[in-house]
Amino acid sequence: MRSDLMKKGFERAPHRSLFKAMGYTDEELRRPLIGVVNAANEVIPGHIHLDKVAEAVKAGIRMAGGTPMEFPTIGVCDGIAMGHQGMKYSLGSRELIADSVEVMATAYPFDGLVLIPNCDKIVPGMIMAAARLDIPALVVSGGAMLAGQCGGRPVDLITVFEGMGRLKIGEIDEEELLALENSACPGAGSCSGMFTANSMNCLTEALGIALPGNGTIPAIDAARIRLAKDSGRQIMELVARGITFRQLLTREAFDNAIAVDMAFGGSTNTSLHLPAIAHEAGVAMPLTSFNAVSEKTPHLCNMSPGGPHHIEDLYRAGGVQGIMKVLADGGLLHTGCLTATGKTVAENLEAAAVSDPEVIRPLDNPYHRTGGLAVLQGNLAPDGAVVKQSAVAPEMLVHEGPARVFNAEEEAFEAIINRQIKPGEVIVIRYEGPRGGPGMREMLSPTSAIAGVGLDKEVALLTDGRFSGGTRGAAIGHISPEAAEGGLIGLVEEGDLIAIDIPNKTLTLKVAEETLARRRAAWQPLPPKITTGYMARYARQVTSASTGAVFK
């Protein structure tokens, strides 16, 4: 056993003595030692209940003859960090989480790991660490929040963000906004739409690194606790069979994940996290992989923020396994991939079914012919840019308009909320990329404000930063190279014409090359926005969004 490195033989008597100081018995130390990585805290609604999930995981490990040893990681709630300095630290926390799990699982050579994340960067951070370590591991998340109810209709966090803009234009009053605030997030769990957290939790099933149901069982459902116990038992089988994480994370598994992502219309942030995970697993996965899969994978689910359905609806309709069943029957998945169940995708799908063909549509009646995300390229984004095309109004799929240029999210938000943006314009927010931000802030506030003031079908927004999984509209992010690296987005001036063609996947700045050459010769990057501490170091080490914003 791997854990023998710290517990076996007379020379490890001091080590065993330290374990015994914590109450471990000789019998417990003789068993396989399983690290339980618990991201529970009291500052993320999706994590407030993870202590109960961890207890269930540990019970399952003990039932199967192992000894669980729990340790924590940090976590940032993107919703609470949104719109202020804290959001600069969210993406950067992913690398800290990955590093901390690697440190713990190397200093303590566990025989296996059970990863318990739920939100935002915690899910990919933990997965990246397990891929780096390549030991037996699986994921069991905390589950999704239920949608709220207000005025007889389902609401969620995005409803509140958009409510700010509706208040500004007089569509609702402060009392109505307070009613939304009090009802949109009714309890524990990752926010209820197909935002970043739930996109990544659902993709753990598609990657084969979690048991079926992990992506969609609600946080408050007892089935979530049973899944946690089953996951605790299952890690012991993976250890016994020597099935390591990279054996699951093959290129075919990543293709499956992209296909499922396209089918359910996931967050644009998956185009950051899947390449970063692939990088740690030693799998080549260029950003253009998303277009190649999207072209042949229809969009089957109309999930919030682009549509009316929430994770609880997807769960009742058949969940991720239901989506995978539809795709597999159409020959759109690699069904021979090994998964965390110890079985192949094909074997897992024998019990899968779709119970609501409106939530999970059949292949011959999709919401859109192609997948939920698209990667655009052109002179403005030679290394790529990403848009959630399933959440773009049809009239904005092709658009040309004059640029309105802002060097920070706050400047753009003020212009939007104060009605200084006109229909047809293209908002450009730059110096918000991985290096220039630093930290590539999510920009849910400006995109929600655009929707709230009623411009989401008339205005586009481009940025070298990123968007929340809750963003809808013609919001194109991850423009690479970013402004801080000398990308063309740094040379855009007020009034320049920008052409967007999402069906043909192009993004073009319509300015003569000789004019751009003069601008380039005079260009100077903005000074760093953070000069001390972790994010200053992060800015020096991070790579482009087109490569997953991994460290050099």
Side-chain angles (χ1 to χ4, degrees):
M1 289 188 291
R2 187 172 180 262
S3 60
D4 286 347
L5 291 169
M6 63 179 172
K7 70 181 186 182
K8 189 174 182 179
F10 73 89
E11 68 274 18
R12 295 294 181 257
H15 305 63
R16 292 192 296 272
S17 180
L18 290 167
F19 279 117
K20 289 177 179 179
M22 294 178 277
Y24 292 104
T25 65
D26 285 325
E27 173 58 28
E28 287 175 300
L29 294 177
R30 278 193 289 270
R31 296 177 177 185
L33 304 184
I34 307 299
V36 177
V37 192
N38 184 6
N41 61 46
E42 296 182 351
V43 292
I44 305 178
H47 289 221
I48 192 71
H49 65 305
L50 292 188
D51 54 338
K52 296 179 177 62
V53 177
E55 287 302 319
V57 167
K58 291 189 288 186
I61 292 169
R62 292 189 185 102
M63 281 191 283
T67 298
M69 294 181 173
E70 182 180 336
F71 63 91
T73 66
I74 63 169
V76 173
C77 173
D78 280 16
I80 295 173
M82 195 74 64
H84 60 86
Q85 186 81 343
M87 180 46 75
K88 293 179 181 289
Y89 288 75
S90 176
L91 183 59
S93 74
R94 186 188 72 179
E95 316 311 310
L96 286 175
I97 291 163
D99 288 351
S100 66
V101 175
E102 176 198 359
V103 166
M104 289 295 288
T106 305
Y108 301 87
F110 298 114
D111 298 299
L113 290 176
V114 178
L115 311 170
I116 310 177
N118 208 31
C119 293
D120 299 310
K121 310 309 160 295
I122 302 95
V123 182
M126 286 192 185
I127 297 171
M128 288 164 66
R132 194 182 297 173
L133 291 161
D134 193 27
I135 62 176
L138 56 74
V139 179
V140 55
S141 304
M145 185 186 293
L146 298 180
Q149 291 289 324
C150 187
R153 67 186 180 98
V155 294
D156 55 38
L157 179 65
I158 307 311
T159 319
V160 188
F161 270 98
E162 293 183 358
M164 295 187 300
R166 296 175 63 203
L167 176 72
K168 187 70 178 179
I169 64 173
E171 191 173 305
I172 61 173
D173 59 27
E174 291 187 12
E175 186 175 328
E176 290 172 296
L177 182 60
L178 180 61
L180 283 176
E181 176 185 328
N182 287 338
S183 58
C185 299
S190 47
C191 294
S192 57
M194 192 57 81
F195 315 142
T196 302
N198 288 324
S199 295
M200 290 306 302
N201 283 330
C202 286
L203 292 184
T204 63
E205 289 189 54
L207 286 167
I209 56 176
L211 300 187
N214 185 60
T216 58
I217 296 173
I220 64 168
D221 197 315
R224 176 63 53 180
I225 298 302
R226 295 195 296 272
L227 179 76
K229 290 178 181 178
D230 290 340
S231 298
R233 288 199 299 264
Q234 186 59 24
I235 189 62
M236 296 302 295
E237 180 180 341
L238 298 180
V239 169
R241 292 176 57 180
I243 297 175
T244 66
F245 218 56
R246 290 194 188 184
Q247 290 175 41
L248 307 179
L249 290 178
T250 61
R251 177 55 205 251
E252 290 75 18
F254 282 102
D255 285 343
N256 285 349
I258 297 174
V260 173
D261 191 9
M262 295 303 119
F264 64 51
S267 164
T268 53
N269 284 312
T270 61
S271 67
L272 275 179
H273 301 319
L274 286 177
I277 294 166
H279 171 77
E280 298 292 355
V283 174
M285 186 184 158
L287 190 59
T288 50
S289 302
F290 285 82
N291 278 348
V293 177
S294 179
E295 280 300 313
K296 59 183 181 181
T297 308
H299 176 222
L300 304 178
C301 304
N302 200 15
M303 307 291 293
S304 176
H309 300 136
H310 291 83
I311 299 298
E312 62 203 75
D313 303 312
L314 180 57
Y315 174 56
R316 287 192 293 265
V320 175
Q321 298 297 303
I323 297 171
M324 294 179 71
K325 175 71 171 174
V326 173
L327 295 177
D329 287 349
L332 297 173
L333 289 186
H334 301 283
T335 57
C337 294
L338 182 64
T339 73
T341 64
K343 302 175 182 178
T344 65
V345 169
E347 291 172 311
N348 291 342
L349 294 180
E350 289 174 3
V354 174
S355 61
D356 188 337
E358 186 61 19
V359 177
I360 304 174
R361 285 194 173 183
L363 290 177
D364 61 1
N365 184 34
Y367 285 99
H368 300 95
R369 184 187 62 79
T370 57
L373 299 184
V375 175
L376 312 184
Q377 291 180 298
N379 69 341
L380 193 52
D383 294 339
V386 182
V387 63
K388 190 170 186 174
Q389 61 182 348
S390 59
V392 178
E395 52 265 54
M396 289 300 295
L397 290 171
V398 178
H399 179 75
E400 183 174 311
R404 296 295 309 279
V405 183
F406 304 92
N407 287 334
E409 174 190 359
E410 293 86 352
E411 297 174 9
F413 178 75
E414 288 300 316
I416 296 163
I417 212 74
N418 290 318
R419 312 299 298 276
Q420 295 169 5
I421 302 298
K422 303 295 187 293
E425 293 180 335
V426 178
I427 300 167
V428 176
I429 306 177
R430 60 192 181 192
Y431 292 100
E432 291 287 6
R435 180 182 296 179
M440 203 180 184
R441 285 190 289 181
E442 283 191 350
M443 299 189 200
L444 184 55
S445 294
T447 58
S448 296
I450 288 170
V453 300
L455 289 174
D456 54 304
K457 296 180 180 180
E458 300 178 272
V459 166
L461 193 158
L462 313 182
T463 182
D464 52 10
R466 62 192 178 92
F467 297 114
S468 164
T471 289
R472 63 185 175 94
I476 300 169
H478 305 200
I479 290 177
S480 301
E482 62 175 294
E485 287 188 315
L488 193 62
I489 188 173
L491 304 183
V492 180
E493 294 185 358
E494 286 275 325
D496 287 350
L497 281 182
I498 294 176
I500 300 164
D501 189 338
I502 294 173
N504 288 308
K505 299 179 174 57
T506 60
L507 185 62
T508 308
L509 176 64
K510 301 184 80 170
V511 174
E513 187 54 46
E514 55 268 27
T515 301
L516 294 177
R518 288 196 299 271
R519 293 180 188 178
R520 190 172 286 111
W523 175 79
Q524 291 290 330
L526 293 182
K529 296 176 183 177
I530 298 177
T531 57
T532 61
Y534 172 66
M535 289 309 295
R537 299 197 305 275
Y538 177 91
R540 292 193 294 269
Q541 292 180 276
V542 73
T543 59
S544 168
S546 63
T547 58
V550 298
F551 277 179
K552 295 174 186 175

